[in-house]
Amino acid sequence: MTLSLGDSVRVLEPFNETFSDVYLVTEIVVNDDQSESYVLGELGAFDKKFLEKT
Amino acid sequence: MTIETRDQLINALGNNSLRVVIDKASLTNAVAGQFFSLWTATGVPGAGAAPGASPLVATKDTVGCLGFTNPVAPMRSYYAWQTLLTSNSATSVEIHDRLAHVSGLSGTVTGAQGSLSLVTTDPGIARLGAADYSDVSWWLEVYTPMGSTAVNATVNVTYNDDSTGNLVAFTLAATPRVGRAYPLTSASAGKFIKAVNSVTLSASTGTAGNFGITATRQRTAVVTGVANKLEVFDWAQLGLPEIADDACLTFIVPCSTTSTGLVRGQGKIAQG
């Protein structure tokens, strides 16, 4: 799965209990350890494995 | 035997009390309105260390706590008097019995990691308090700062009725600093946490750092209004909490500014 800026995503377990809505990818960041994270606005960063494109 | 009358308390304060000294250095890069553990702050008592990857019960002999001598049975110990001076104004200092702790969790791991159980790592009912674990406070505690990517943490727990569940996810801010203590709160009304089964981060923070899980029992709290002015708290203001044998007394500061400030004072543990 490829995610891009502006994509709509759902958050998967175990975070979906808290974040149960559909969110937009607002930023893609490369962390200091070179891993990639997807920022969902004020929700903060998520690894791709916790996201599902809608 | 317990202290049950004012006469017994006065006698214990005057004739059978242990003096404890607090002189803790300030932790910097703090955040107003957030909790900071003084466990690793230098001074007196000396700085505690990250406990390591194996869960441990902390005791009065663990470096980092206010050491004291257990009373001879059947006498008991009570926190009965405290002076406090802080270099920051409006500083609150909570005195906790640090029950158990574990560290070695990583800010770059997105799989489930870490656990701490008060069933398998049991400091005893006298230190735990209520049998339903309602006296216990749980924390994620930072020993080495993690990375600059703000992520969410969710924590899977076992409650006092043996059911399990995830706590409401919360944000680990960018570069959480040494001493930052994130409170873990039950997500199920009327249930209390007796074990943390795992911690899961929503993404890598970018730097491993070192954080852990800590269980404490708050015993009392004191507050200063003005910087560098000594305040005195008597037994009634402190609530005269019983201090269980082997309790690991340490401090948590709900921070009012960008540092914890110097925390200095003396206390008396009355025994009778």
Side-chain angles (χ1 to χ4, degrees):
Chain A
M1 178 184 69
T2 303
L3 289 175
S4 306
L5 284 175
D7 281 351
S8 297
V9 295
R10 283 197 180 86
V11 178
L12 303 177
E13 290 184 350
F15 297 96
N16 57 346
E17 292 178 29
T18 303
F19 308 117
S20 57
D21 211 339
V22 174
Y23 305 94
L24 294 178
V25 175
T26 57
E27 189 180 357
I28 301 172
V29 296
V30 177
N31 304 311
D32 293 341
D33 61 352
Q34 302 308 308
S35 62
E36 199 169 58
S37 297
Y38 298 83
V39 178
L40 309 183
E42 295 180 351
L43 266 55
F46 287 81
D47 189 273
K48 186 189 292 185
K49 72 179 181 179
F50 295 118
L51 300 176
E52 177 184 61
K53 200 169 178 178
T54 63
Chain B
M1 193 164 71
T2 55
I3 294 178
E4 296 176 341
T5 67
R6 286 174 186 257
D7 285 349
Q8 289 174 334
L9 176 61
I10 291 167
N11 183 50
L13 272 169
N15 302 311
N16 195 29
S17 64
L18 306 173
R19 180 81 65 159
V20 293
V21 175
I22 306 165
D23 189 357
K24 279 292 200 181
S26 179
L27 294 177
T28 56
N29 296 308
V31 181
Q34 305 300 327
F35 292 92
F36 279 78
S37 166
L38 298 188
W39 181 248
T40 57
T42 58
V44 179
S54 297
L56 295 172
V57 171
T59 73
K60 64 179 180 57
D61 299 319
T62 304
V63 173
C65 71
L66 286 174
F68 68 98
T69 303
N70 289 336
V72 177
M75 287 198 296
R76 296 183 181 182
S77 302
Y78 301 85
Y79 209 88
W81 184 80
Q82 177 74 54
T83 67
L84 183 68
L85 180 150
T86 60
S87 62
N88 289 337
S89 62
T91 297
S92 308
V93 179
E94 299 178 352
I95 299 177
H96 288 246
D97 178 3
R98 189 178 177 98
L99 303 171
H101 50 192
V102 66
S103 66
L105 281 68
S106 169
T108 59
V109 172
T110 55
Q113 57 178 331
S115 65
L116 181 65
S117 167
L118 288 176
V119 178
T120 58
T121 310
D122 185 359
I125 191 66
R127 292 182 61 190
L128 285 173
D132 64 1
Y133 297 89
S134 58
D135 286 340
V136 178
S137 299
W138 292 83
W139 313 85
L140 292 188
E141 182 171 356
V142 177
Y143 297 97
T144 304
M146 285 96 82
S148 59
T149 301
V151 302
N152 291 283
T154 189
V155 177
N156 185 269
V157 302
T158 299
Y159 292 108
N160 59 303
D161 65 354
D162 291 326
S163 63
T164 61
N166 293 323
L167 305 185
V168 175
F170 57 92
T171 301
L172 297 185
T175 321
R177 302 293 185 170
V178 174
R180 182 76 181 264
Y182 294 90
L184 305 180
T185 307
S186 171
S188 188
K191 294 183 182 180
F192 304 100
I193 301 166
K194 71 175 184 182
V196 169
N197 304 317
S198 66
V199 179
T200 304
L201 303 183
S202 66
S204 169
T205 67
T207 303
N210 183 2
F211 70 104
I213 307 160
T214 304
T216 69
R217 179 185 177 196
Q218 186 176 340
R219 307 312 296 129
T220 190
V222 287
V223 180
T224 59
V226 179
N228 301 313
K229 175 183 177 295
L230 192 75
E231 302 283 353
V232 181
F233 304 88
D234 67 14
W235 62 274
Q237 292 166 298
L238 296 172
L240 199 64
E242 183 174 350
I243 303 301
D245 286 359
D246 297 324
C248 179
L249 296 176
T250 185
F251 318 101
I252 291 176
V253 172
C255 215
S256 62
T257 182
T258 54
S259 71
T260 59
L262 297 173
V263 175
R264 291 175 168 154
Q266 296 187 48
K268 277 186 176 182
I269 297 175
Q271 296 182 326

PDB file of all heavy atoms in Angstrom, chain B residues 144-157:
ATOM      1  N   THR B 144      15.801   8.163  29.210  1.00  0.00           N
ATOM      2  CA  THR B 144      16.654   8.785  28.196  1.00  0.00           C
ATOM      3  C   THR B 144      15.724   9.327  27.120  1.00  0.00           C
ATOM      4  O   THR B 144      14.818   8.597  26.677  1.00  0.00           O
ATOM      5  CB  THR B 144      17.618   7.749  27.577  1.00  0.00           C
ATOM      6  OG1 THR B 144      18.378   7.135  28.609  1.00  0.00           O
ATOM      7  CG2 THR B 144      18.560   8.414  26.585  1.00  0.00           C
ATOM      8  N   PRO B 145      15.905  10.576  26.697  1.00  0.00           N
ATOM      9  CA  PRO B 145      14.950  11.161  25.759  1.00  0.00           C
ATOM     10  C   PRO B 145      14.792  10.330  24.485  1.00  0.00           C
ATOM     11  O   PRO B 145      15.761   9.790  23.951  1.00  0.00           O
ATOM     12  CB  PRO B 145      15.561  12.526  25.445  1.00  0.00           C
ATOM     13  CG  PRO B 145      16.397  12.844  26.637  1.00  0.00           C
ATOM     14  CD  PRO B 145      16.948  11.523  27.099  1.00  0.00           C
ATOM     15  N   MET B 146      13.556  10.275  24.007  1.00  0.00           N
ATOM     16  CA  MET B 146      13.289   9.630  22.731  1.00  0.00           C
ATOM     17  C   MET B 146      13.373  10.679  21.631  1.00  0.00           C
ATOM     18  O   MET B 146      13.797  11.812  21.879  1.00  0.00           O
ATOM     19  CB  MET B 146      11.917   8.956  22.756  1.00  0.00           C
ATOM     20  CG  MET B 146      11.902   7.665  23.564  1.00  0.00           C
ATOM     21  SD  MET B 146      11.332   7.922  25.226  1.00  0.00           S
ATOM     22  CE  MET B 146       9.576   7.898  24.991  1.00  0.00           C
ATOM     23  N   GLY B 147      12.943  10.311  20.413  1.00  0.00           N
ATOM     24  CA  GLY B 147      13.142  11.164  19.254  1.00  0.00           C
ATOM     25  C   GLY B 147      12.123  12.282  19.099  1.00  0.00           C
ATOM     26  O   GLY B 147      11.219  12.464  19.922  1.00  0.00           O
ATOM     27  N   SER B 148      12.289  13.013  18.018  1.00  0.00           N
ATOM     28  CA  SER B 148      11.543  14.260  17.822  1.00  0.00           C
ATOM     29  C   SER B 148      10.208  14.081  17.126  1.00  0.00           C
ATOM     30  O   SER B 148       9.485  15.048  16.911  1.00  0.00           O
ATOM     31  CB  SER B 148      12.406  15.248  17.035  1.00  0.00           C
ATOM     32  OG  SER B 148      12.752  14.689  15.781  1.00  0.00           O
ATOM     33  N   THR B 149       9.884  12.859  16.728  1.00  0.00           N
ATOM     34  CA  THR B 149       8.577  12.624  16.119  1.00  0.00           C
ATOM     35  C   THR B 149       7.554  12.338  17.216  1.00  0.00           C
ATOM     36  O   THR B 149       7.717  11.400  17.999  1.00  0.00           O
ATOM     37  CB  THR B 149       8.627  11.437  15.132  1.00  0.00           C
ATOM     38  OG1 THR B 149       9.590  11.717  14.120  1.00  0.00           O
ATOM     39  CG2 THR B 149       7.274  11.202  14.499  1.00  0.00           C
ATOM     40  N   ALA B 150       6.523  13.159  17.266  1.00  0.00           N
ATOM     41  CA  ALA B 150       5.458  12.947  18.264  1.00  0.00           C
ATOM     42  C   ALA B 150       4.603  11.764  17.832  1.00  0.00           C
ATOM     43  O   ALA B 150       4.142  11.716  16.689  1.00  0.00           O
ATOM     44  CB  ALA B 150       4.613  14.201  18.409  1.00  0.00           C
ATOM     45  N   VAL B 151       4.416  10.811  18.727  1.00  0.00           N
ATOM     46  CA  VAL B 151       3.659   9.607  18.395  1.00  0.00           C
ATOM     47  C   VAL B 151       2.600   9.364  19.464  1.00  0.00           C
ATOM     48  O   VAL B 151       2.572  10.036  20.497  1.00  0.00           O
ATOM     49  CB  VAL B 151       4.591   8.374  18.298  1.00  0.00           C
ATOM     50  CG1 VAL B 151       5.677   8.594  17.262  1.00  0.00           C
ATOM     51  CG2 VAL B 151       5.206   8.044  19.654  1.00  0.00           C
ATOM     52  N   ASN B 152       1.756   8.399  19.199  1.00  0.00           N
ATOM     53  CA  ASN B 152       0.759   7.989  20.188  1.00  0.00           C
ATOM     54  C   ASN B 152       1.197   6.689  20.851  1.00  0.00           C
ATOM     55  O   ASN B 152       1.881   5.867  20.235  1.00  0.00           O
ATOM     56  CB  ASN B 152      -0.596   7.779  19.520  1.00  0.00           C
ATOM     57  CG  ASN B 152      -1.195   9.080  19.046  1.00  0.00           C
ATOM     58  OD1 ASN B 152      -1.716   9.863  19.833  1.00  0.00           O
ATOM     59  ND2 ASN B 152      -1.083   9.345  17.740  1.00  0.00           N
ATOM     60  N   ALA B 153       0.798   6.535  22.090  1.00  0.00           N
ATOM     61  CA  ALA B 153       1.040   5.277  22.790  1.00  0.00           C
ATOM     62  C   ALA B 153      -0.305   4.716  23.217  1.00  0.00           C
ATOM     63  O   ALA B 153      -1.185   5.459  23.673  1.00  0.00           O
ATOM     64  CB  ALA B 153       1.915   5.505  24.011  1.00  0.00           C
ATOM     65  N   THR B 154      -0.451   3.426  23.056  1.00  0.00           N
ATOM     66  CA  THR B 154      -1.590   2.764  23.663  1.00  0.00           C
ATOM     67  C   THR B 154      -1.058   1.641  24.535  1.00  0.00           C
ATOM     68  O   THR B 154      -0.025   1.038  24.246  1.00  0.00           O
ATOM     69  CB  THR B 154      -2.613   2.241  22.634  1.00  0.00           C
ATOM     70  OG1 THR B 154      -3.787   1.807  23.336  1.00  0.00           O
ATOM     71  CG2 THR B 154      -2.059   1.101  21.826  1.00  0.00           C
ATOM     72  N   VAL B 155      -1.734   1.414  25.634  1.00  0.00           N
ATOM     73  CA  VAL B 155      -1.236   0.511  26.660  1.00  0.00           C
ATOM     74  C   VAL B 155      -2.302  -0.532  26.942  1.00  0.00           C
ATOM     75  O   VAL B 155      -3.461  -0.190  27.210  1.00  0.00           O
ATOM     76  CB  VAL B 155      -0.900   1.312  27.942  1.00  0.00           C
ATOM     77  CG1 VAL B 155      -0.441   0.378  29.051  1.00  0.00           C
ATOM     78  CG2 VAL B 155       0.169   2.366  27.648  1.00  0.00           C
ATOM     79  N   ASN B 156      -1.920  -1.789  26.846  1.00  0.00           N
ATOM     80  CA  ASN B 156      -2.846  -2.876  27.160  1.00  0.00           C
ATOM     81  C   ASN B 156      -2.654  -3.275  28.619  1.00  0.00           C
ATOM     82  O   ASN B 156      -1.520  -3.461  29.073  1.00  0.00           O
ATOM     83  CB  ASN B 156      -2.598  -4.080  26.243  1.00  0.00           C
ATOM     84  CG  ASN B 156      -3.627  -5.167  26.470  1.00  0.00           C
ATOM     85  OD1 ASN B 156      -3.438  -6.065  27.275  1.00  0.00           O
ATOM     86  ND2 ASN B 156      -4.750  -5.064  25.766  1.00  0.00           N
ATOM     87  N   VAL B 157      -3.762  -3.361  29.343  1.00  0.00           N
ATOM     88  CA  VAL B 157      -3.678  -3.605  30.789  1.00  0.00           C
ATOM     89  C   VAL B 157      -4.586  -4.750  31.212  1.00  0.00           C
ATOM     90  O   VAL B 157      -5.519  -5.129  30.492  1.00  0.00           O
ATOM     91  CB  VAL B 157      -4.072  -2.341  31.600  1.00  0.00           C
ATOM     92  CG1 VAL B 157      -3.178  -1.171  31.239  1.00  0.00           C
ATOM     93  CG2 VAL B 157      -5.545  -1.986  31.405  1.00  0.00           C
TER      94      VAL B 157
END
